Amino acid sequence: MITTSFEKATRSVKMPDAFRQEPESNGAVIWCLYHLMSVILMVPYLIASVSGSASNSVGVHHSLFTHPPPTRAPKCDRMFISNAVGRKNGTFEAPLIFNPMNHSRQCIFTFIAAEDERVRVTFNKFNLRDSPPECNNEFVDLYTEIDDPLIDLIKTPFGGRYCGRILPRTRISMYQTLVIGFHTDVTVETSDIFQGTYEFVNASKYEIGTPAPSSVCTFTIYHDRKKEGSFVSPTYPGVYPKNLNCQYRFLGGAGQRVRVEFMDFDLFYGGPHCPFDHVKVYDGSSSEDPLIGTYCGQRRNLMVYSSAENLYVEFKTLKRTADTQNRGFSGFFEFSEVFVNLAFIGKHDAQHIRGTECDQKVLSKQESNGTVYSPNWPFLYYSHIMCRYYIYGMEDAQNLEKVRLEFDKFDIPNNDEECNEAYLKLYLQGQEERHAVDEYDHVFCGEVVPPPVVSEGPRLMMIFSSGSSQGKGFKVRYTFQTDYRVPGTPSPNGKCHFTYKSESRKTGEFNSPRYPANYPSNTYCQYIFKGLPGEQVQFVFNYFKTKRLLSTSSGYNEMCTEDWIEIFEVYPSGRENKFGKYCSKTAPGPIVSDVGIHDMKVVFRTDKVEVASGFSATYLFISSAQNLDCGGNITGSANGIITSPSFPSKYEAHRQLCNWYITVRPFHKVLFLFDFFLIEGEPDERGCPGAVVRVWSDLSQPPIELCGEKLTNDTRQILSSSSVLKLQFVTADKAVGSGGFKAVWTEVQEADTVCKGLLCGQSGFCISSSLKCNKLPNCGINDDTDEKNCKKFPPQHCGIPVPKKFIWTCTLWLG
C-alpha cells in the first residue's frame, strides 16, 4: 500500500469527532475550526516538504481536497479520515447548496482509511433529479480503486455514475481511499437527496494468503500455514471492479484434498458458458490442470473438491463500460485428510466426477456391465458424506439402453425406519435432469438386500448418504440392457423378442423399437402371441411407415426388400403360415387368425441403411364362439356371386369378419372377378388399416390384399392355383364404411384340356354350357363368348308361354 506523509501526519493527531463530520451541517463555527485544524495538521507536512518537492505538497492538497474543475465549489467538499483513536464509522449526506445562477457545482467526498483498513460506503437514501442512463444534470460518480492519492481522479478507474432513485449498491475500496463526486446544477440543493453510512473496515479479510508482488488479488494459500479459512473477492460485499484478474492457489500436503465452498456467489451473468465475468476452478495448482468448472451469475451451495492435494481458483472480470453492480463471492476453504479417498472409484469402470467429493459416473460400452461400491469399500464407510452415482446407458440414433441393478451386499445402519439420515436413494426416471431430488423411486437402509430394479429410461442415479452412521456399505452390479420401448414380456437374453399371452392380458399394444421415435437400423425383432384353445388373434395397425429407398408402387410381399414386417399364423403343430409381408406406407389390413389357430407371430426386420418411425398396432384375443363369421363354404356349383355384407348398401362401420371358401370339382379352378369394388383405404399411400379384402389363390401362399377404389387387371381377375379359393373380408372397429364389393366366380378348366362345355374364345377357359347367356362375365375380362347370340325377350314377355328352352332366361331376369 502507498502511504503519504500527509496521511501519517493526520494519524498522529487525535481529531475530535465533530471535526471529522460534515462542516456545513455543524455550523459555521465548526467549519472555521475544521480549516484551522487542517492548517495545524499540515504544518509538519509543509515543513517536511521544504527539502523535498514543492509540487508534491501541492499535489496532495490538490487531489485530496480541491480536485478543481472549472465549476469547483470548495465549501461543499468533505473529508473522512481514519485514525487510531477516532470513530471507525459515521454518516454522510448531500451538502446544502444555494446556486441562484444554476451553475454546475461539484462536491468531492473523500474517505481515507488507515494502512490496514478499507473504506466501506453504503447509500441509505438516494433521490437525484436525473434518470439513468443519461445523468446529465445531477449525478454521483464513484471511485473505489484509487491506489495513489496523489493521482488525479480522471486517471483512476471509474466506478460508475448514478442518478435517479435507485440506490447504488455498497462499495468497498480496493485500497485505502474512496471518493464520491457529486455534480449538480440545481438552484437549491438540500441534504436529503442522498444519505449514507461509511465504515473503515479491517483489510485483513482480503489478505487470503501469501500475496503475489504484482497483483492486488493473487495469493498462495499453504496448508501448513492455514488449514482452513474464508476467502472473498477483492471488494466483497461491495460491487467488484472491472478488469480484474485474481488467482487463488491452494497447495495442500500429501494425502490431503481441498474443499472450497462458496456461501455467497453473485457475478454478472453473460450466458450459460460465462463468456464475461466468471470464476474458473482447476483440479491442480495452475490453469494448465484439468478444468473443473466455469461459474457465473448467482449460485447457491456451490461446493468444489480437488481430486488431489491442490486446487486453483481464477476470478476474472472484463474491462467494459456496462454498469453492473454484482457483489462477487464469499467462500470457505479447507485442507483435510478425511475427505473420501477416491481409490474405490478408480479401480473399477466408474469415473470420478471432478469437483465433487465422491460423485462418480458410469457410461455404457454397449450392453456392458460392472460393479459399483460404497466409499472405502470393503472397509467401513465414513460418516457424514454424500456420494452420487450416475449410471447412464447409451442414447443415440442407433442405441437406447436401460439400467438394471442387482445388489450383492447391503449394510447401511439406521435407527430410523424411514431412512431419513443414512440411506441409498434410487432415481429411475431421470429426475436429476430436472433437479427433482425429492422425487426418488426407492429408498433403502438397514441390512436387507434390496430387490433388483430397472430404470425406465437410459438414466439411473443413486444418492448415498451416510449420516452419522458407519457400516459396510453396499456392492451392486449394474447391467446395461437394450431398451426397445416395446410393451410386452421381454426375452431374458436382452434380445428384441417379446411375448404376449392371453392368460395374462386379452388386449394391448405392440410397436416397433423406440416408437414413435425412429427404429434403429440392422434390427431383428419377434413378437409372439399365445392365445388359449378356442381363441383367435386379431391385429389392427394404427400407424405404419418403414423407410423406402426403392421406387416401388406398393409395399406388399415381394415388393418389400428393405425394412419390413411379416405376419404368420402358427398352427398348434408348430407349422407357420405366412399371412403377408408389408413395408413402406402400406399398413396391413385388419388381421384375424383362422378358427383353430390361437397363436401368431410378427417379425420386424431392418437393414443397415436409413430408418423410419416404424409401426404401432393393437392385439386382441377373441373367442371363436363369439367371432361370428359372415362368410361360408361354397361347393357343388359352377358359378356364383359373392357380395360384402349389406351390399348394395355400405358395409357397417364396426368389426366384422367374413371368410368364403369356394371349392370346385377336381382338375378345375376358380376364376374370380370383381364386378364392383369400393373399400376404404389406399394401398400405395396408407394401406388398408380399417378394412381389407384378401384373396388366396393358393392357400399355401400369402393372399392378395386389396382396398381402395381402383383395381388393375391383375387384381380385378384372379385365377386359383387349385380347386379351392379363399376370400376374406375384414373390418376393424375404426372402419368408417364404404360401398363394399360384388364378385363373380366361375368354375373353369384351362385351354389345354378337351372342353366338353363352352369354350371361351378370348380367355381360352372352358366353362359349363349352362352358364351361357346368364348375363354374368363367366369367361372373364374382355371375353363375352358366353353372352353372344343370346335370344332376348322383353321383360313383359316373361310369364307368357314361350319355348321351354328360354324359361331360364326369364327366371334370371326376374331374379
Side-chain angles (χ1 to χ4, degrees):
M1 301 291 183
I2 300 175
T3 306
T4 66
S5 56
F6 172 76
E7 291 171 293
K8 295 178 180 178
T10 57
R11 288 196 208 97
S12 64
V13 179
K14 181 177 181 181
M15 182 179 292
D17 288 343
F19 293 161
R20 300 175 61 252
Q21 306 306 314
E22 302 85 333
E24 289 184 354
S25 65
N26 293 320
V29 175
I30 295 179
W31 171 245
C32 294
L33 291 175
Y34 175 84
H35 277 282
L36 177 62
M37 180 61 71
S38 298
V39 172
I40 295 173
L41 289 173
M42 289 188 64
V43 169
Y45 169 74
L46 295 173
I47 295 174
S49 300
V50 171
S51 59
S53 172
S55 64
N56 285 345
S57 64
V58 176
V60 171
H61 187 273
H62 181 275
S63 62
L64 293 179
F65 289 93
T66 61
H67 301 272
T71 57
R72 165 103 169 67
K75 288 189 177 182
C76 67
D77 289 350
R78 301 288 185 270
M79 179 173 288
F80 306 84
I81 303 173
S82 174
N83 61 63
V85 295
R87 288 177 58 186
K88 295 296 183 181
N89 57 66
T91 62
F92 64 91
E93 62 184 15
L96 179 63
I97 295 177
F98 296 96
N99 184 24
M101 302 302 293
N102 295 105
H103 291 160
S104 177
R105 304 290 298 273
Q106 172 180 277
C107 305
I108 303 298
F109 288 44
T110 304
F111 302 83
I112 302 177
E115 187 173 5
D116 57 349
E117 293 176 338
R118 302 272 192 97
V119 184
R120 174 172 178 160
V121 169
T122 301
F123 287 88
N124 301 323
K125 187 173 183 179
F126 201 80
N127 187 17
L128 273 65
R129 210 161 24 104
D130 279 355
S131 59
E134 288 79 10
C135 299
N136 293 323
N137 303 106
E138 190 170 73
F139 54 86
V140 163
D141 288 341
L142 296 177
Y143 300 87
T144 62
E145 302 172 66
I146 304 174
D147 60 343
D148 182 3
L150 298 176
I151 196 169
D152 289 335
L153 289 180
I154 196 170
K155 297 180 180 180
T156 67
F158 184 50
R161 175 166 292 180
Y162 302 92
C163 61
R165 298 184 178 184
I166 299 178
L167 290 171
R169 291 192 177 181
T170 297
R171 291 297 198 282
I172 293 182
S173 64
M174 181 77 83
Y175 304 97
Q176 293 173 238
T177 305
L178 186 149
V179 171
I180 299 175
F182 171 53
H183 299 256
T184 184
D185 60 5
V186 73
T187 303
V188 178
E189 196 65 90
T190 60
S191 62
D192 61 351
I193 63 169
F194 69 81
Q195 297 173 350
T197 62
Y198 70 88
E199 182 180 4
F200 299 111
V201 298
N202 194 323
S204 62
K205 65 181 292 185
Y206 302 100
E207 296 286 337
I208 311 302
T210 302
S214 59
S215 174
V216 69
C217 58
T218 294
F219 302 93
T220 300
I221 302 94
Y222 298 96
H223 71 99
D224 52 353
R225 299 181 187 179
K226 197 172 185 180
K227 193 169 184 179
E228 62 181 36
S230 61
F231 77 109
V232 295
S233 52
T235 59
Y236 180 87
V239 174
Y240 61 76
K242 306 174 179 68
N243 199 29
L244 283 178
N245 188 358
C246 307
Q247 294 92 37
Y248 307 88
R249 181 179 285 105
F250 300 89
L251 301 181
Q256 289 183 329
R257 294 176 65 190
V258 188
R259 177 175 70 92
V260 167
E261 181 179 1
F262 294 92
M263 279 77 74
D264 186 20
F265 193 94
D266 178 30
L267 269 62
F268 174 73
Y269 182 74
H273 301 294
C274 302
F276 304 120
D277 301 351
H278 61 258
V279 167
K280 287 188 175 183
V281 183
Y282 296 87
D283 198 5
S285 59
S286 73
S287 58
E288 301 297 319
D289 290 298
L291 176 67
I292 292 176
T294 302
Y295 311 99
C296 63
Q298 293 183 332
R299 303 291 297 255
R300 288 186 175 183
N301 304 320
L302 178 57
M303 189 179 302
V304 182
Y305 290 82
S306 65
S307 298
E309 65 270 17
N310 300 325
L311 194 72
Y312 183 80
V313 178
E314 181 180 77
F315 174 40
K316 284 189 176 183
T317 66
L318 292 189
K319 183 178 182 180
R320 62 187 187 279
T321 59
D323 180 25
T324 58
Q325 299 194 68
N326 301 90
R327 295 184 302 274
F329 61 81
S330 173
F332 179 84
F333 69 87
E334 179 184 8
F335 299 97
S336 179
E337 298 84 1
V338 301
F339 295 139
V340 174
N341 188 318
L342 300 178
F344 85 103
I345 299 177
K347 66 176 66 173
H348 306 290
D349 290 334
Q351 179 182 353
H352 172 241
I353 299 176
R354 290 189 185 277
T356 68
E357 182 177 9
C358 51
D359 294 358
Q360 59 183 280
K361 61 182 176 181
V362 179
L363 302 181
S364 172
K365 299 176 182 177
Q366 192 167 24
E367 297 187 342
S368 56
N369 57 70
T371 306
V372 292
Y373 304 85
S374 54
N376 208 38
W377 178 271
F379 307 106
L380 296 179
Y381 56 73
Y382 309 103
S383 59
H384 302 295
I385 61 172
M386 180 175 288
C387 303
R388 293 173 173 82
Y389 300 71
Y390 301 91
I391 306 175
Y392 289 167
M394 301 183 73
E395 184 180 18
D396 54 39
Q398 185 62 26
N399 301 284
L400 182 65
E401 294 179 327
K402 53 188 175 183
V403 187
R404 177 182 176 86
L405 295 183
E406 296 180 89
F407 290 84
D408 293 335
K409 304 289 184 181
F410 194 86
D411 176 29
I412 302 178
N414 196 320
N415 296 325
D416 181 4
E417 294 182 357
E418 300 296 326
C419 305
N420 290 321
E421 184 184 15
Y423 54 78
L424 180 68
K425 290 181 178 179
L426 301 186
Y427 300 80
L428 308 180
Q429 305 175 58
Q431 293 96 324
E432 76 281 2
E433 287 188 296
R434 60 180 189 274
H435 306 289
V437 294
D438 293 333
E439 300 177 11
Y440 54 85
D441 296 289
H442 302 283
V443 58
F444 302 113
C445 61
E447 300 179 355
V448 177
V449 177
V453 296
V454 179
S455 66
E456 294 188 9
R459 309 170 71 92
L460 184 148
M461 183 180 74
M462 305 191 305
I463 296 182
F464 168 61
S465 175
S466 64
S468 59
S469 72
Q470 279 192 298
K472 295 179 181 178
F474 58 85
K475 175 184 178 184
V476 57
R477 182 173 179 81
Y478 62 84
T479 302
F480 294 108
Q481 301 175 339
T482 297
D483 183 9
Y484 300 101
R485 292 195 174 173
V486 174
T489 304
S491 170
N493 60 13
K495 293 184 178 180
C496 187
H497 189 153
F498 299 88
T499 303
Y500 307 83
K501 293 184 177 181
S502 171
E503 58 188 2
S504 299
R505 191 174 182 184
K506 294 296 182 185
T507 184
E509 297 181 352
F510 65 104
N511 52 259
S512 55
R514 303 177 66 174
Y515 177 85
N518 288 346
Y519 53 76
S521 61
N522 200 27
T523 299
Y524 178 83
C525 299
Q526 284 191 20
Y527 309 80
I528 305 299
F529 299 84
K530 293 185 173 294
L532 299 173
E535 290 183 334
Q536 294 170 263
V537 187
Q538 175 186 280
F539 297 146
V540 175
F541 283 79
N542 302 310
Y543 179 86
F544 190 89
K545 184 180 180 182
T546 66
K547 73 109 183 327
R548 181 176 67 178
L549 298 179
L550 302 178
S551 57
T552 56
S553 58
S554 62
Y556 289 122
N557 298 325
E558 69 277 357
M559 306 302 295
C560 299
T561 59
E562 298 164 349
D563 300 350
W564 38 260
I565 67 168
E566 285 182 305
I567 301 175
F568 298 87
E569 292 179 316
V570 182
Y571 289 83
S573 64
R575 180 174 67 87
E576 296 180 353
N577 184 41
K578 184 187 293 187
F579 212 97
K581 188 176 183 180
Y582 309 87
C583 61
S584 186
K585 300 178 183 178
T586 306
I591 294 175
V592 179
S593 63
D594 270 349
V595 175
I597 300 177
H598 49 76
D599 293 347
M600 293 194 74
K601 181 175 78 172
V602 177
V603 172
F604 177 57
R605 189 189 299 270
T606 70
D607 61 18
K608 298 180 179 180
V609 182
E610 299 288 340
V611 292
S613 46
F615 69 87
S616 173
T618 57
Y619 68 87
L620 174 66
F621 294 102
I622 53 180
S623 171
S624 298
Q626 298 175 349
N627 189 31
L628 300 178
D629 194 322
C630 55
N633 294 325
I634 302 173
T635 60
S637 299
N639 82 314
I641 297 174
I642 299 176
T643 62
S644 56
S646 302
F647 188 86
S649 299
K650 292 183 177 181
Y651 56 84
E652 297 179 4
H654 61 77
R655 179 167 60 89
Q656 54 190 330
L657 170 66
C658 305
N659 286 294
W660 293 272
Y661 290 87
I662 304 171
T663 304
V664 296
R665 292 175 294 171
F667 308 111
H668 289 70
K669 295 182 179 181
V670 179
L671 179 64
F672 193 87
L673 188 148
F674 285 101
D675 193 38
F676 176 86
F677 191 90
L678 183 58
I679 305 294
E680 62 192 87
E682 171 48 51
D684 293 343
E685 293 301 320
R686 58 189 178 93
C688 311
V692 67
V693 172
R694 295 188 178 93
V695 181
W696 279 264
S697 60
D698 185 342
L699 298 184
S700 64
Q701 297 296 322
I704 299 170
E705 195 153 317
L706 306 171
C707 64
E709 58 184 27
K710 295 180 181 180
L711 299 177
T712 65
N713 286 343
D714 292 338
T715 55
R716 185 183 175 195
Q717 176 174 293
I718 302 169
L719 181 67
S720 68
S721 61
S722 66
S723 58
V724 180
L725 181 141
K726 178 182 177 182
L727 173 69
Q728 184 181 76
F729 177 57
V730 190
T731 59
D733 285 330
K734 65 177 183 178
V736 296
S738 190
F741 67 88
K742 174 185 176 183
V744 177
W745 67 269
T746 306
E747 179 186 71
V748 301
Q749 284 184 305
E750 296 188 87
D752 58 352
T753 60
V754 176
C755 183
K756 298 180 179 180
L758 176 63
L759 181 63
C760 298
Q762 296 295 325
S763 64
F765 293 130
C766 180
I767 65 175
S768 172
S769 300
S770 63
L771 302 181
K772 184 174 176 59
C773 297
N774 65 354
K775 287 195 173 183
L776 295 177
N778 298 115
C779 281
I781 298 176
N782 300 324
D783 192 334
D784 60 353
T785 302
D786 56 329
E787 296 300 317
K788 286 182 178 180
N789 302 319
C790 295
K791 188 172 182 179
K792 298 180 180 179
F793 293 89
Q796 62 269 26
H797 290 183
C798 291
I800 62 174
V802 294
K804 185 176 181 180
K805 63 180 180 179
F806 296 121
I807 292 177
W808 63 269
T809 305
C810 292
T811 303
L812 176 63
W813 286 346
L814 289 174

